[in-house]
Amino acid sequence: MTPRSELTRSLLSVLDEVPGLRPASPAASPVGAGVPWNLDALAVGIDDDLVEVRVVALALPLPPLLRAAEAALSTALEGTRWSDARLRLVVTDVDAGALPPRSRE
């Protein structure tokens, strides 16, 4: 396993513990079922100076969710060669369940 794949696994594990967010990965499909790796890994991008994690919001409001995720994910970067990299969280979608029901007027 490479350092990047180890970090990806670690970041996804940490994100699993943050309620209200999930990795923004492709929807499961018959094609995806045959892929020999975790599709959630596609939600993580790691460069030398930037670590990007793409998420879907399952709850609102966003600011406290993103602060919690940033704190948790920053901890996962400590002690790695990416400890000084910038961490960027990108909300790619908001789950319909996070939105209040629409009134019928």
Side-chain angles (χ1 to χ4, degrees):
M1 190 174 284
T2 68
R4 276 189 169 88
S5 61
E6 287 177 19
L7 180 60
T8 297
R9 177 181 275 168
S10 175
L11 292 170
L12 290 172
S13 177
V14 167
L15 188 60
D16 281 345
E17 300 301 316
V18 178
L21 297 174
R22 70 166 174 79
S25 55
S29 70
V31 172
V35 175
W37 65 82
N38 183 354
L39 287 176
D40 287 348
L42 296 174
V44 179
I46 302 172
D47 287 324
D48 291 337
D49 59 349
L50 174 68
V51 174
E52 181 176 278
V53 180
R54 293 168 291 282
V55 297
V56 173
L58 304 174
L60 295 173
L62 283 175
L65 293 175
L66 296 174
R67 282 192 296 272
E70 181 181 18
L73 293 167
S74 292
T75 300
L77 294 174
E78 291 175 3
T80 71
R81 66 182 257 205
W82 295 278
S83 60
D84 292 328
R86 199 173 56 148
L87 174 63
R88 178 168 50 200
L89 296 173
V90 178
V91 179
T92 64
D93 200 2
V94 176
D95 188 271
L99 302 173
R102 292 177 58 183
S103 64
R104 300 184 76 114
E105 293 182 38

